């Protein structure tokens, strides 16, 4: 092993080699950063930079600020994958209304 703590302990502290080793950046460590298109629930699109997908891909949002209750103030139940229907069927016997 050359460098690091072992080098300091065996060879003494060499500031220049220690700093050079510390500043070396690893290659191909970070994901690629590129432009993608984002499609809102109302159909509007915008371009942004992201690590998601490939350059030019379109990310289609299921929920966004134009449809989320936190921003709209309108609370409604969204049936995602039939989960709401399953819940209503399972608990209909105890008097819950649809």
């Amino acid at each position: 092993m050359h460098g690091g703590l072992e080098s300091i302990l065996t060879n003494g502290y060499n500031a220049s080699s220690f700093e050079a080793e510390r500043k070396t950046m690893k290659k191909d460590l970070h994901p690629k950063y590129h432009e993608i298109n984002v499609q809102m629930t109302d159909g509007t699109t915008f371009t942004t930079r992201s690590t998601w997908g490939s350059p030019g891909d379109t990310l289609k949002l299921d929920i966004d600020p134009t449809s989320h209750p936190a921003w709209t103030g309108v609370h409604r139940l969204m049936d995602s994958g039939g989960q709401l229907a399953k819940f209503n069927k399972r608990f209909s016997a105890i008097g819950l209304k649809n």
Side-chain angles (χ1 to χ4, degrees):
M1 181 173 172
H2 63 296
L5 183 59
E6 183 178 309
S7 174
I8 292 171
L9 294 176
T10 57
N11 302 327
Y13 180 72
N14 183 343
S16 61
S17 66
F18 183 71
E19 287 298 316
E21 184 176 322
R22 187 176 67 85
K23 291 181 182 178
T24 304
M25 187 169 180
K26 295 179 182 178
K27 296 185 187 299
D28 300 323
L29 177 67
H30 299 286
K32 304 294 181 211
Y33 198 61
H34 50 268
E35 286 190 356
I36 64 164
N37 300 310
V38 178
Q39 183 177 359
M40 308 278 276
T41 56
D42 63 358
T44 59
T45 61
F46 64 92
T47 302
T48 189
R49 293 181 49 82
S50 175
T51 58
W52 178 86
S54 300
D57 281 354
T58 300
L59 175 64
K60 295 180 180 179
L61 301 178
D62 292 332
I63 195 160
D64 61 26
T66 63
S67 63
H68 194 281
W71 286 282
T72 63
V74 177
H75 295 281
R76 59 190 161 141
L77 296 174
M78 293 180 64
D79 193 2
S80 170
Q83 294 297 315
L84 185 58
K86 287 180 192 176
F87 177 85
N88 287 336
K89 182 179 177 184
R90 185 173 184 184
F91 293 104
S92 63
I94 61 171
L96 294 176
K97 300 194 180 207
N98 294 344

